[in-house]
Amino acid sequence: MSSQANKNKVKDHEQPTEHTLRLAELPWFESILAKLKQAYNDERLAHGLIICAPKGSGKQAFARSFIKSILCQKSSATFTDFCSQCKSCLLFEAASFPDYHQLERLTDNKGKQKQSIGIEQIRQLTDKLADTAQLSGWRVALITSVSDLTTASFNALLKTLEEPGDKTLLVLLADNLQSVPATIRSRCQLVLPKLNNQSLLNWLEQQTEITDQKQLQLSLQHCYHAPLLAKQYLLNGGFDIRLKLNQLGDALLLNQINPQIFLEQVPAELSIDQIILWMTDYLLEVEKAILSRSGNQHYMQLNPKLPIQLYHKLTDYLRAQSAGSNLQPKLQLQSILIQWYEAGRKIIQLSTR
Ligand SMILES: [Zn+2]
């Protein structure tokens, strides 16, 4: 694929809603941003940054805004938030900035996204980073998901991190650090947003106009403390849907409904995969309730290992599915629902004997 085609590919994957955010709209990055600005002004910005945060925390928006600000002509002496008006900003917005490279998985000729970012893509990238800069002097690359890199791809990146050119910046985005080899980690600065304080709840309240603190707190938990995800979740009624599903899960355990009625009563907009994801969370919550001896009394009469066994069955299925297996999602879900219903039946029969 030619580099022009690559560039177009990159553009296709952009999600404008996330990318138009300004740095100030992501306050959980505020303290780390202050440190990065200082390092930039002191000319000691690390050559490699790993931004690690869950999906829906705005890390890609932050990375792009930060990079756009560095490339902005107003930042030539001291760091200034991007202006959106200079030549650099306009080129960046049009995905035509010649010294900025955004790397993601390519799509094959059948339109299917490849499983990983291959070594060839990394080699092309490191060559470009080694070239003389065409504009502001900075050469920057953003790799939007490090978990897509293969071992060979990581090794190909190492050289750039070990012998970086002047004004070269490599930004890697990671949902978690497990996917990043120690050799890469040790050569990069880790960028972690603050995702667990009261200010996040205040932000969420302001954004959604929902004042119920318990609801805000639970929504954050349900969304792995990813603020943008939690905002969407609340605004799209995700919290209420989850409550409804939890009630259905409990009703199934109490044999008030059977698996077929469960599936009929699930909100119609949910896909089977979404229900499976909910079910994994629900089973973990039940397990937690058993361990802390709180919650629905029927949970305490269950075989304490059952929720986690069913949870593992579902996560095994999800793993197989992402590896491309042809397992039928509905059959997988039905099998778990039946086991949940049967477990409840045992409890009820024992308690009425
Ligand atoms: Zn600008």
Side-chain angles (χ1 to χ4, degrees):
M1 199 179 262
S2 74
S3 69
Q4 189 53 44
N6 279 343
K7 208 172 262 172
N8 290 340
K9 197 72 251 151
V10 165
K11 215 174 159 188
D12 288 344
H13 284 282
E14 281 175 8
Q15 297 155 348
T17 45
E18 217 195 349
H19 293 162
T20 48
L21 293 174
R22 301 191 71 96
L23 288 165
E25 290 177 82
L26 303 160
W28 46 95
F29 280 100
E30 200 174 282
S31 57
I32 188 80
L33 176 65
K35 284 182 194 155
L36 291 173
K37 278 182 183 177
Q38 193 59 52
Y40 177 88
N41 294 342
D42 297 345
E43 295 183 24
R44 52 171 182 82
L45 187 65
H47 290 284
L49 299 176
I50 298 175
I51 306 179
C52 182
K55 274 196 179 76
S57 57
K59 59 183 178 298
Q60 188 161 331
F62 173 80
R64 283 181 53 93
S65 297
F66 180 69
I67 293 167
K68 190 177 169 188
S69 298
I70 287 181
L71 299 175
C72 173
Q73 289 170 348
K74 293 206 166 171
S75 285
S76 57
T78 48
F79 187 98
T80 311
D81 282 7
F82 63 81
C83 72
S84 285
Q85 278 152 19
C86 71
K87 187 183 168 199
S88 294
C89 283
L90 294 176
L91 282 172
F92 188 87
E93 271 307 297
S96 313
F97 195 96
D99 305 313
Y100 170 68
H101 313 285
Q102 188 168 317
L103 209 61
E104 357 207 303
R105 281 183 289 164
L106 294 176
T107 309
D108 68 17
N109 46 18
K110 285 180 193 147
K112 203 177 164 207
Q113 207 176 31
K114 292 193 176 174
Q115 290 273 346
S116 57
I117 292 179
I119 187 164
E120 260 319 302
Q121 275 179 279
I122 298 291
R123 283 197 183 127
Q124 281 175 10
L125 179 74
T126 51
D127 284 351
K128 284 180 199 157
L129 288 178
D131 273 353
T132 314
Q134 295 184 42
L135 279 179
S136 69
W138 278 93
R139 290 158 296 176
V140 184
L142 173 65
I143 299 182
T144 55
S145 168
V146 283
S147 58
D148 292 337
L149 292 175
T150 62
T151 308
S153 306
F154 273 122
N155 288 337
L157 258 191
L158 262 185
K159 194 170 173 294
T160 302
L161 287 170
E162 278 167 347
E163 301 161 20
D166 195 29
K167 287 193 163 182
T168 311
L169 177 64
L170 185 64
V171 182
L172 310 173
L173 304 186
D175 291 343
N176 60 63
L177 280 179
Q178 287 160 349
S179 51
V180 188
T183 47
I184 299 281
R185 239 190 285 179
S186 64
R187 287 167 177 83
C188 293
Q189 183 189 340
L190 198 55
V191 175
L192 297 169
K194 280 202 167 148
L195 295 175
N196 55 357
N197 53 18
Q198 181 63 36
S199 64
L200 215 58
L201 288 175
N202 298 344
W203 178 86
L204 208 53
E205 181 176 339
Q206 201 182 32
Q207 295 284 318
T208 60
E209 295 178 1
I210 291 169
T211 51
D212 180 348
Q213 294 300 304
K214 187 86 190 149
Q215 186 177 349
L216 294 173
Q217 213 157 27
L218 281 173
S219 296
L220 265 180
Q221 269 176 33
H222 295 165
C223 298
Y224 314 101
H225 287 270
L228 296 178
L229 190 65
K231 177 184 163 184
Q232 285 307 319
Y233 179 74
L234 283 161
L235 292 179
N236 296 338
F239 185 81
D240 297 327
I241 289 175
R242 179 141 165 163
L243 280 188
K244 161 101 179 149
L245 285 170
N246 284 352
Q247 282 162 2
L248 286 175
D250 286 350
L252 185 65
L253 182 67
L254 296 175
N255 282 206
Q256 291 160 348
I257 54 172
N258 64 32
Q260 194 190 336
I261 295 180
F262 175 95
L263 288 172
E264 283 165 14
Q265 292 194 358
V266 157
E269 66 264 38
L270 295 181
S271 68
I272 292 288
D273 281 342
Q274 284 173 316
I275 302 170
I276 288 178
L277 279 178
W278 158 77
M279 189 88 198
T280 59
D281 280 347
Y282 171 73
L283 290 167
L284 276 189
E285 275 171 25
V286 172
E287 184 72 29
K288 225 159 71 182
I290 293 174
L291 292 176
S292 63
R293 307 208 59 79
S294 61
N296 190 327
Q297 276 309 303
H298 283 80
Y299 297 165
M300 310 309 150
Q301 291 161 321
L302 282 170
N303 170 356
K305 286 184 185 153
L306 180 74
I308 210 74
Q309 280 167 356
L310 298 180
Y311 166 83
H312 283 305
K313 278 190 188 172
L314 284 175
T315 51
D316 285 348
Y317 157 73
L318 290 171
R319 217 170 294 134
Q321 191 197 38
S322 70
S325 86
N326 289 324
L327 291 168
Q328 297 254 5
K330 194 162 180 183
L331 289 180
Q332 300 296 316
L333 177 63
Q334 271 168 340
S335 138
I336 300 293
L337 294 176
I338 290 168
Q339 289 178 72
W340 196 236
Y341 178 77
E342 288 299 327
R345 199 156 73 130
K346 259 190 232 162
I347 295 172
I348 290 163
Q349 280 181 351
L350 285 174
S351 63
T352 51
R353 244 200 336 220

